[in-house]
Amino acid sequence: MILQLEHFYYVVGAILAIVAWMSATDGSNPRRYTTALFWGLYAAVYLGGDAMPAELAGAIVVAMALLAGCGAVRSGKPDVLPDAERRASARRLGHKLFLPALAIPLVTVVASTLLKDVKLGELFLIDPKQATLVGLGCASIIAAALACRLTHSSPVQAMREHRRLVDALGWAFFLPHLLAILGLLFTQVGVGKAVAHVATSYIPMDSKLVAVTVYCVGMALFTIVMGNGFAAFPVMTGGVGIPVLVGVFHANPAVMAAIGMFSAYCGTLMTPMAANFNIVPAALLDLPDKHAVIKAQVPTALPLLGVNIVLLYFLMNR
């Protein structure tokens, strides 16, 4: 393959390394060296790739968590365009500002459908097994180039803007990556079995309504803790869904899984751990309350969780 997903990991690593260097040279940041260390370690994970020993990668993640937890990751003052100049550029470009954003899904779809099986000689143009993600990587680079072209800015200024956004997000930028592996980790250490033991030992699971409620509410609660519905799914499905709902009450696995994931998404709406959904938008929009998105979503999430319980109760055997 000419273009593989690993190539874009290196691009991400290089960008993070530049952010680390910018942070280290920013005298306005009182924690510039520890902030630079945080981003430098993150860059090393991407640049090292499969060549990095798993133990070293784990140690880096632990070190990053300690840096973030100790308040060692702070925001500086990136060298960005003055606000007046930014507003003038926005007025001049108008709706053209949306072209780079629209280019991302367009290029991704084209790459993952039309270019998936294209070959140059004996080699595939893009990795057929990762066509969508490779297309997304290509689309992001094209969108960045298009944005520079539209705004008459340089790639250096694009990196400054990237660093500004990274500083605004802080350690939460790293959170989705960390949470993505949490579900697998929980499964490997037997959290699902522990949940099954607790649920069957202390909760009367002989009632269909109780079992359905435990499953749906558990999906939402584990998602709140882990910030990711896909991480919560193997824990609750392995602990309650399969052994109780399917094994005892003969639930349709497809119905159980679909409504269970929908219940998990209710938890996503209510947790700061889902940083890419709830914390990132607040930071990008400069909202004064970083939990404003969550507060607006809770009145929807709770009734929707109740609806999921009712739906699963009546539909699980169909």
Side-chain angles (χ1 to χ4, degrees), residues 231-278:
F233 183 80
V235 174
M236 287 306 301
T237 301
V240 177
I242 299 299
V244 179
L245 295 184
V246 176
V248 177
F249 296 104
H250 311 293
N252 184 329
V255 174
M256 177 202 68
I259 299 180
M261 281 301 299
F262 202 13
S263 300
Y265 297 152
C266 294
T268 301
L269 297 175
M270 299 185 288
T271 176
M273 297 296 285
N276 50 330
F277 291 103
N278 301 329

mmCIF file of all heavy atoms in Angstrom, residues 231-278:
data_model
loop_
_atom_site.group_PDB
_atom_site.id
_atom_site.type_symbol
_atom_site.label_atom_id
_atom_site.label_comp_id
_atom_site.label_asym_id
_atom_site.label_seq_id
_atom_site.Cartn_x
_atom_site.Cartn_y
_atom_site.Cartn_z
ATOM 1 N N ALA A 231 -16.707 1.330 25.493
ATOM 2 C CA ALA A 231 -15.958 0.744 26.606
ATOM 3 C C ALA A 231 -16.898 0.105 27.613
ATOM 4 O O ALA A 231 -16.572 -0.913 28.230
ATOM 5 C CB ALA A 231 -15.098 1.819 27.281
ATOM 6 N N ALA A 232 -18.070 0.709 27.805
ATOM 7 C CA ALA A 232 -19.040 0.171 28.761
ATOM 8 C C ALA A 232 -19.736 -1.076 28.226
ATOM 9 O O ALA A 232 -20.145 -1.950 29.014
ATOM 10 C CB ALA A 232 -20.084 1.238 29.100
ATOM 11 N N PHE A 233 -19.877 -1.182 26.917
ATOM 12 C CA PHE A 233 -20.670 -2.266 26.321
ATOM 13 C C PHE A 233 -20.164 -3.658 26.688
ATOM 14 O O PHE A 233 -20.955 -4.502 27.145
ATOM 15 C CB PHE A 233 -20.726 -2.100 24.804
ATOM 16 C CG PHE A 233 -21.584 -3.124 24.120
ATOM 17 C CD1 PHE A 233 -22.969 -2.986 24.103
ATOM 18 C CD2 PHE A 233 -21.029 -4.227 23.502
ATOM 19 C CE1 PHE A 233 -23.768 -3.942 23.480
ATOM 20 C CE2 PHE A 233 -21.811 -5.177 22.875
ATOM 21 C CZ PHE A 233 -23.189 -5.027 22.862
ATOM 22 N N PRO A 234 -18.871 -3.987 26.510
ATOM 23 C CA PRO A 234 -18.444 -5.357 26.855
ATOM 24 C C PRO A 234 -18.562 -5.669 28.342
ATOM 25 O O PRO A 234 -18.774 -6.823 28.717
ATOM 26 C CB PRO A 234 -16.972 -5.379 26.396
ATOM 27 C CG PRO A 234 -16.546 -3.963 26.343
ATOM 28 C CD PRO A 234 -17.763 -3.188 25.952
ATOM 29 N N VAL A 235 -18.440 -4.639 29.190
ATOM 30 C CA VAL A 235 -18.536 -4.862 30.630
ATOM 31 C C VAL A 235 -19.956 -5.264 31.014
ATOM 32 O O VAL A 235 -20.173 -6.300 31.663
ATOM 33 C CB VAL A 235 -18.098 -3.606 31.404
ATOM 34 C CG1 VAL A 235 -18.336 -3.785 32.898
ATOM 35 C CG2 VAL A 235 -16.633 -3.291 31.142
ATOM 36 N N MET A 236 -20.944 -4.453 30.627
ATOM 37 C CA MET A 236 -22.325 -4.722 31.033
ATOM 38 C C MET A 236 -22.958 -5.861 30.236
ATOM 39 O O MET A 236 -23.761 -6.629 30.768
ATOM 40 C CB MET A 236 -23.170 -3.451 30.874
ATOM 41 C CG MET A 236 -22.895 -2.385 31.913
ATOM 42 S SD MET A 236 -23.028 -2.983 33.609
ATOM 43 C CE MET A 236 -24.712 -3.569 33.657
ATOM 44 N N THR A 237 -22.592 -5.992 28.970
ATOM 45 C CA THR A 237 -23.161 -7.079 28.176
ATOM 46 C C THR A 237 -22.600 -8.416 28.632
ATOM 47 O O THR A 237 -23.328 -9.416 28.716
ATOM 48 C CB THR A 237 -22.873 -6.860 26.680
ATOM 49 O OG1 THR A 237 -23.435 -5.606 26.275
ATOM 50 C CG2 THR A 237 -23.481 -7.967 25.836
ATOM 51 N N GLY A 238 -21.303 -8.440 28.952
ATOM 52 C CA GLY A 238 -20.719 -9.667 29.467
ATOM 53 C C GLY A 238 -21.153 -9.983 30.883
ATOM 54 O O GLY A 238 -21.194 -11.149 31.285
ATOM 55 N N GLY A 239 -21.500 -8.955 31.662
ATOM 56 C CA GLY A 239 -21.865 -9.175 33.056
ATOM 57 C C GLY A 239 -23.338 -9.412 33.280
ATOM 58 O O GLY A 239 -23.715 -10.199 34.156
ATOM 59 N N VAL A 240 -24.202 -8.726 32.509
ATOM 60 C CA VAL A 240 -25.646 -8.824 32.715
ATOM 61 C C VAL A 240 -26.379 -9.208 31.431
ATOM 62 O O VAL A 240 -27.274 -10.071 31.446
ATOM 63 C CB VAL A 240 -26.211 -7.488 33.255
ATOM 64 C CG1 VAL A 240 -27.735 -7.558 33.405
ATOM 65 C CG2 VAL A 240 -25.570 -7.128 34.587
ATOM 66 N N GLY A 241 -26.014 -8.592 30.327
ATOM 67 C CA GLY A 241 -26.752 -8.802 29.080
ATOM 68 C C GLY A 241 -26.821 -10.247 28.636
ATOM 69 O O GLY A 241 -27.916 -10.818 28.465
ATOM 70 N N ILE A 242 -25.657 -10.877 28.442
ATOM 71 C CA ILE A 242 -25.623 -12.255 27.941
ATOM 72 C C ILE A 242 -26.083 -13.269 28.997
ATOM 73 O O ILE A 242 -26.997 -14.067 28.739
ATOM 74 C CB ILE A 242 -24.211 -12.610 27.424
ATOM 75 C CG1 ILE A 242 -23.827 -11.685 26.257
ATOM 76 C CG2 ILE A 242 -24.154 -14.074 26.995
ATOM 77 C CD1 ILE A 242 -24.741 -11.769 25.063
ATOM 78 N N PRO A 243 -25.510 -13.251 30.199
ATOM 79 C CA PRO A 243 -25.902 -14.300 31.161
ATOM 80 C C PRO A 243 -27.322 -14.175 31.705
ATOM 81 O O PRO A 243 -27.951 -15.185 32.016
ATOM 82 C CB PRO A 243 -24.872 -14.153 32.291
ATOM 83 C CG PRO A 243 -24.416 -12.742 32.205
ATOM 84 C CD PRO A 243 -24.452 -12.387 30.759
ATOM 85 N N VAL A 244 -27.849 -12.952 31.827
ATOM 86 C CA VAL A 244 -29.162 -12.761 32.448
ATOM 87 C C VAL A 244 -30.244 -12.519 31.398
ATOM 88 O O VAL A 244 -31.207 -13.288 31.287
ATOM 89 C CB VAL A 244 -29.134 -11.609 33.473
ATOM 90 C CG1 VAL A 244 -30.519 -11.409 34.095
ATOM 91 C CG2 VAL A 244 -28.101 -11.880 34.561
ATOM 92 N N LEU A 245 -30.105 -11.444 30.616
ATOM 93 C CA LEU A 245 -31.167 -11.107 29.662
ATOM 94 C C LEU A 245 -31.317 -12.168 28.576
ATOM 95 O O LEU A 245 -32.441 -12.568 28.233
ATOM 96 C CB LEU A 245 -30.885 -9.740 29.031
ATOM 97 C CG LEU A 245 -30.923 -8.538 29.978
ATOM 98 C CD1 LEU A 245 -30.729 -7.233 29.201
ATOM 99 C CD2 LEU A 245 -32.232 -8.490 30.757
ATOM 100 N N VAL A 246 -30.192 -12.631 28.028
ATOM 101 C CA VAL A 246 -30.262 -13.650 26.979
ATOM 102 C C VAL A 246 -30.389 -15.047 27.588
ATOM 103 O O VAL A 246 -31.243 -15.845 27.178
ATOM 104 C CB VAL A 246 -29.020 -13.569 26.065
ATOM 105 C CG1 VAL A 246 -29.046 -14.712 25.036
ATOM 106 C CG2 VAL A 246 -28.970 -12.230 25.355
ATOM 107 N N GLY A 247 -29.549 -15.355 28.565
ATOM 108 C CA GLY A 247 -29.535 -16.706 29.126
ATOM 109 C C GLY A 247 -30.761 -17.067 29.940
ATOM 110 O O GLY A 247 -31.231 -18.208 29.895
ATOM 111 N N VAL A 248 -31.326 -16.105 30.700
ATOM 112 C CA VAL A 248 -32.465 -16.388 31.574
ATOM 113 C C VAL A 248 -33.784 -15.981 30.936
ATOM 114 O O VAL A 248 -34.749 -16.757 30.924
ATOM 115 C CB VAL A 248 -32.289 -15.682 32.937
ATOM 116 C CG1 VAL A 248 -33.520 -15.913 33.816
ATOM 117 C CG2 VAL A 248 -31.024 -16.179 33.638
ATOM 118 N N PHE A 249 -33.815 -14.751 30.364
ATOM 119 C CA PHE A 249 -35.081 -14.229 29.840
ATOM 120 C C PHE A 249 -35.186 -14.339 28.321
ATOM 121 O O PHE A 249 -36.144 -13.828 27.731
ATOM 122 C CB PHE A 249 -35.247 -12.764 30.268
ATOM 123 C CG PHE A 249 -35.365 -12.592 31.755
ATOM 124 C CD1 PHE A 249 -34.305 -12.110 32.506
ATOM 125 C CD2 PHE A 249 -36.534 -12.935 32.425
ATOM 126 C CE1 PHE A 249 -34.401 -11.950 33.881
ATOM 127 C CE2 PHE A 249 -36.644 -12.783 33.795
ATOM 128 C CZ PHE A 249 -35.568 -12.300 34.525
ATOM 129 N N HIS A 250 -34.211 -14.994 27.685
ATOM 130 C CA HIS A 250 -34.258 -15.307 26.255
ATOM 131 C C HIS A 250 -34.449 -14.054 25.393
ATOM 132 O O HIS A 250 -35.239 -14.051 24.451
ATOM 133 C CB HIS A 250 -35.361 -16.326 25.966
ATOM 134 C CG HIS A 250 -35.335 -17.515 26.878
ATOM 135 N ND1 HIS A 250 -34.315 -18.452 26.870
ATOM 136 C CD2 HIS A 250 -36.197 -17.893 27.872
ATOM 137 C CE1 HIS A 250 -34.547 -19.367 27.797
ATOM 138 N NE2 HIS A 250 -35.670 -19.060 28.420
ATOM 139 N N ALA A 251 -33.709 -13.009 25.712
ATOM 140 C CA ALA A 251 -33.804 -11.772 24.937
ATOM 141 C C ALA A 251 -33.169 -11.943 23.569
ATOM 142 O O ALA A 251 -32.254 -12.749 23.376
ATOM 143 C CB ALA A 251 -33.107 -10.628 25.694
ATOM 144 N N ASN A 252 -33.688 -11.200 22.611
ATOM 145 C CA ASN A 252 -33.084 -11.139 21.280
ATOM 146 C C ASN A 252 -31.763 -10.366 21.401
ATOM 147 O O ASN A 252 -31.764 -9.194 21.762
ATOM 148 C CB ASN A 252 -34.036 -10.431 20.318
ATOM 149 C CG ASN A 252 -33.508 -10.416 18.888
ATOM 150 O OD1 ASN A 252 -32.312 -10.386 18.646
ATOM 151 N ND2 ASN A 252 -34.426 -10.409 17.928
ATOM 152 N N PRO A 253 -30.623 -10.975 21.114
ATOM 153 C CA PRO A 253 -29.339 -10.291 21.305
ATOM 154 C C PRO A 253 -29.215 -8.993 20.509
ATOM 155 O O PRO A 253 -28.612 -8.025 20.996
ATOM 156 C CB PRO A 253 -28.309 -11.328 20.833
ATOM 157 C CG PRO A 253 -28.994 -12.637 20.992
ATOM 158 C CD PRO A 253 -30.446 -12.370 20.689
ATOM 159 N N ALA A 254 -29.792 -8.978 19.304
ATOM 160 C CA ALA A 254 -29.693 -7.771 18.479
ATOM 161 C C ALA A 254 -30.455 -6.613 19.109
ATOM 162 O O ALA A 254 -29.956 -5.477 19.171
ATOM 163 C CB ALA A 254 -30.223 -8.054 17.075
ATOM 164 N N VAL A 255 -31.664 -6.896 19.600
ATOM 165 C CA VAL A 255 -32.466 -5.850 20.253
ATOM 166 C C VAL A 255 -31.782 -5.384 21.532
ATOM 167 O O VAL A 255 -31.688 -4.187 21.814
ATOM 168 C CB VAL A 255 -33.888 -6.370 20.541
ATOM 169 C CG1 VAL A 255 -34.679 -5.334 21.342
ATOM 170 C CG2 VAL A 255 -34.610 -6.693 19.242
ATOM 171 N N MET A 256 -31.301 -6.355 22.316
ATOM 172 C CA MET A 256 -30.627 -6.015 23.560
ATOM 173 C C MET A 256 -29.407 -5.137 23.309
ATOM 174 O O MET A 256 -29.178 -4.128 23.994
ATOM 175 C CB MET A 256 -30.188 -7.296 24.272
ATOM 176 C CG MET A 256 -29.404 -7.063 25.546
ATOM 177 S SD MET A 256 -28.381 -8.499 25.994
ATOM 178 C CE MET A 256 -27.170 -8.487 24.674
ATOM 179 N N ALA A 257 -28.603 -5.484 22.324
ATOM 180 C CA ALA A 257 -27.384 -4.728 22.041
ATOM 181 C C ALA A 257 -27.702 -3.318 21.551
ATOM 182 O O ALA A 257 -27.066 -2.342 21.977
ATOM 183 C CB ALA A 257 -26.544 -5.471 21.002
ATOM 184 N N ALA A 258 -28.693 -3.197 20.661
ATOM 185 C CA ALA A 258 -29.030 -1.889 20.097
ATOM 186 C C ALA A 258 -29.547 -0.937 21.176
ATOM 187 O O ALA A 258 -29.083 0.213 21.288
ATOM 188 C CB ALA A 258 -30.067 -2.054 18.989
ATOM 189 N N ILE A 259 -30.506 -1.398 21.969
ATOM 190 C CA ILE A 259 -31.068 -0.529 23.005
ATOM 191 C C ILE A 259 -30.058 -0.317 24.134
ATOM 192 O O ILE A 259 -30.004 0.751 24.748
ATOM 193 C CB ILE A 259 -32.387 -1.113 23.541
ATOM 194 C CG1 ILE A 259 -33.412 -1.226 22.401
ATOM 195 C CG2 ILE A 259 -32.946 -0.260 24.668
ATOM 196 C CD1 ILE A 259 -34.753 -1.801 22.815
ATOM 197 N N GLY A 260 -29.226 -1.314 24.386
ATOM 198 C CA GLY A 260 -28.189 -1.149 25.397
ATOM 199 C C GLY A 260 -27.198 -0.057 25.023
ATOM 200 O O GLY A 260 -26.822 0.769 25.867
ATOM 201 N N MET A 261 -26.774 -0.028 23.759
ATOM 202 C CA MET A 261 -25.856 1.028 23.322
ATOM 203 C C MET A 261 -26.539 2.396 23.372
ATOM 204 O O MET A 261 -25.907 3.408 23.706
ATOM 205 C CB MET A 261 -25.372 0.748 21.904
ATOM 206 C CG MET A 261 -24.281 -0.296 21.830
ATOM 207 S SD MET A 261 -22.799 0.144 22.790
ATOM 208 C CE MET A 261 -22.293 1.657 21.999
ATOM 209 N N PHE A 262 -27.830 2.433 23.060
ATOM 210 C CA PHE A 262 -28.567 3.691 23.144
ATOM 211 C C PHE A 262 -28.616 4.176 24.593
ATOM 212 O O PHE A 262 -28.529 5.378 24.864
ATOM 213 C CB PHE A 262 -29.977 3.497 22.583
ATOM 214 C CG PHE A 262 -30.633 4.776 22.139
ATOM 215 C CD1 PHE A 262 -29.915 5.954 21.998
ATOM 216 C CD2 PHE A 262 -31.992 4.803 21.849
ATOM 217 C CE1 PHE A 262 -30.515 7.121 21.584
ATOM 218 C CE2 PHE A 262 -32.610 5.978 21.438
ATOM 219 C CZ PHE A 262 -31.864 7.136 21.307
ATOM 220 N N SER A 263 -28.734 3.248 25.522
ATOM 221 C CA SER A 263 -28.701 3.615 26.942
ATOM 222 C C SER A 263 -27.320 4.148 27.324
ATOM 223 O O SER A 263 -27.195 5.080 28.129
ATOM 224 C CB SER A 263 -29.041 2.394 27.805
ATOM 225 O OG SER A 263 -30.327 1.893 27.501
ATOM 226 N N ALA A 264 -26.285 3.556 26.757
ATOM 227 C CA ALA A 264 -24.930 4.035 27.029
ATOM 228 C C ALA A 264 -24.760 5.468 26.534
ATOM 229 O O ALA A 264 -24.111 6.291 27.193
ATOM 230 C CB ALA A 264 -23.911 3.114 26.367
ATOM 231 N N TYR A 265 -25.343 5.764 25.395
ATOM 232 C CA TYR A 265 -25.233 7.128 24.852
ATOM 233 C C TYR A 265 -25.913 8.146 25.769
ATOM 234 O O TYR A 265 -25.523 9.318 25.791
ATOM 235 C CB TYR A 265 -25.841 7.196 23.455
ATOM 236 C CG TYR A 265 -25.125 6.330 22.435
ATOM 237 C CD1 TYR A 265 -25.798 5.814 21.338
ATOM 238 C CD2 TYR A 265 -23.772 6.031 22.587
ATOM 239 C CE1 TYR A 265 -25.142 5.024 20.409
ATOM 240 C CE2 TYR A 265 -23.122 5.242 21.662
ATOM 241 C CZ TYR A 265 -23.807 4.736 20.569
ATOM 242 O OH TYR A 265 -23.161 3.957 19.654
ATOM 243 N N CYS A 266 -26.917 7.693 26.514
ATOM 244 C CA CYS A 266 -27.523 8.591 27.507
ATOM 245 C C CYS A 266 -26.483 8.989 28.550
ATOM 246 O O CYS A 266 -26.452 10.131 29.013
ATOM 247 C CB CYS A 266 -28.716 7.907 28.182
ATOM 248 S SG CYS A 266 -30.109 7.575 27.080
ATOM 249 N N GLY A 267 -25.636 8.035 28.918
ATOM 250 C CA GLY A 267 -24.556 8.348 29.841
ATOM 251 C C GLY A 267 -23.538 9.282 29.221
ATOM 252 O O GLY A 267 -22.975 10.151 29.899
ATOM 253 N N THR A 268 -23.297 9.128 27.925
ATOM 254 C CA THR A 268 -22.360 10.013 27.230
ATOM 255 C C THR A 268 -22.782 11.472 27.350
ATOM 256 O O THR A 268 -21.940 12.371 27.479
ATOM 257 C CB THR A 268 -22.271 9.620 25.742
ATOM 258 O OG1 THR A 268 -21.847 8.269 25.629
ATOM 259 C CG2 THR A 268 -21.288 10.517 24.998
ATOM 260 N N LEU A 269 -24.076 11.710 27.318
ATOM 261 C CA LEU A 269 -24.584 13.080 27.387
ATOM 262 C C LEU A 269 -24.370 13.719 28.752
ATOM 263 O O LEU A 269 -24.470 14.945 28.880
ATOM 264 C CB LEU A 269 -26.083 13.101 27.058
ATOM 265 C CG LEU A 269 -26.493 12.648 25.656
ATOM 266 C CD1 LEU A 269 -28.009 12.619 25.534
ATOM 267 C CD2 LEU A 269 -25.899 13.557 24.592
ATOM 268 N N MET A 270 -24.056 12.921 29.770
ATOM 269 C CA MET A 270 -24.039 13.441 31.136
ATOM 270 C C MET A 270 -22.669 13.397 31.804
ATOM 271 O O MET A 270 -22.583 13.571 33.011
ATOM 272 C CB MET A 270 -25.034 12.647 32.003
ATOM 273 C CG MET A 270 -26.473 12.740 31.541
ATOM 274 S SD MET A 270 -27.646 11.930 32.658
ATOM 275 C CE MET A 270 -27.277 10.191 32.341
ATOM 276 N N THR A 271 -21.600 13.172 31.053
ATOM 277 C CA THR A 271 -20.305 13.000 31.693
ATOM 278 C C THR A 271 -19.224 13.881 31.077
ATOM 279 O O THR A 271 -19.122 13.971 29.846
ATOM 280 C CB THR A 271 -19.861 11.522 31.624
ATOM 281 O OG1 THR A 271 -18.551 11.409 32.176
ATOM 282 C CG2 THR A 271 -19.834 11.017 30.187
ATOM 283 N N PRO A 272 -18.401 14.506 31.902
ATOM 284 C CA PRO A 272 -17.250 15.237 31.372
ATOM 285 C C PRO A 272 -16.165 14.297 30.856
ATOM 286 O O PRO A 272 -15.251 14.742 30.153
ATOM 287 C CB PRO A 272 -16.752 16.030 32.592
ATOM 288 C CG PRO A 272 -17.224 15.254 33.773
ATOM 289 C CD PRO A 272 -18.530 14.650 33.368
ATOM 290 N N MET A 273 -16.252 13.016 31.220
ATOM 291 C CA MET A 273 -15.274 12.058 30.717
ATOM 292 C C MET A 273 -15.374 11.893 29.206
ATOM 293 O O MET A 273 -14.391 11.562 28.547
ATOM 294 C CB MET A 273 -15.470 10.704 31.405
ATOM 295 C CG MET A 273 -15.235 10.732 32.898
ATOM 296 S SD MET A 273 -13.528 11.128 33.305
ATOM 297 C CE MET A 273 -12.737 9.580 32.896
ATOM 298 N N ALA A 274 -16.560 12.127 28.640
ATOM 299 C CA ALA A 274 -16.711 12.120 27.182
ATOM 300 C C ALA A 274 -16.256 13.477 26.655
ATOM 301 O O ALA A 274 -17.056 14.287 26.178
ATOM 302 C CB ALA A 274 -18.159 11.825 26.803
ATOM 303 N N ALA A 275 -14.965 13.717 26.781
ATOM 304 C CA ALA A 275 -14.422 15.054 26.527
ATOM 305 C C ALA A 275 -14.680 15.522 25.097
ATOM 306 O O ALA A 275 -14.992 16.696 24.870
ATOM 307 C CB ALA A 275 -12.924 15.064 26.814
ATOM 308 N N ASN A 276 -14.562 14.609 24.132
ATOM 309 C CA ASN A 276 -14.732 15.033 22.743
ATOM 310 C C ASN A 276 -16.160 15.457 22.439
ATOM 311 O O ASN A 276 -16.405 16.213 21.485
ATOM 312 C CB ASN A 276 -14.306 13.915 21.791
ATOM 313 C CG ASN A 276 -14.943 12.585 22.128
ATOM 314 O OD1 ASN A 276 -15.240 12.303 23.282
ATOM 315 N ND2 ASN A 276 -15.150 11.752 21.131
ATOM 316 N N PHE A 277 -17.136 15.023 23.237
ATOM 317 C CA PHE A 277 -18.524 15.433 23.040
ATOM 318 C C PHE A 277 -18.912 16.633 23.904
ATOM 319 O O PHE A 277 -19.646 17.514 23.450
ATOM 320 C CB PHE A 277 -19.482 14.273 23.363
ATOM 321 C CG PHE A 277 -19.431 13.145 22.385
ATOM 322 C CD1 PHE A 277 -18.758 11.977 22.702
ATOM 323 C CD2 PHE A 277 -20.039 13.233 21.141
ATOM 324 C CE1 PHE A 277 -18.691 10.935 21.804
ATOM 325 C CE2 PHE A 277 -19.986 12.194 20.235
ATOM 326 C CZ PHE A 277 -19.302 11.039 20.572
ATOM 327 N N ASN A 278 -18.429 16.662 25.134
ATOM 328 C CA ASN A 278 -18.972 17.617 26.106
ATOM 329 C C ASN A 278 -18.001 18.703 26.565
ATOM 330 O O ASN A 278 -18.434 19.797 26.925
ATOM 331 C CB ASN A 278 -19.470 16.848 27.339
ATOM 332 C CG ASN A 278 -20.552 15.840 26.981
ATOM 333 O OD1 ASN A 278 -21.314 16.043 26.048
ATOM 334 N ND2 ASN A 278 -20.603 14.745 27.708
#
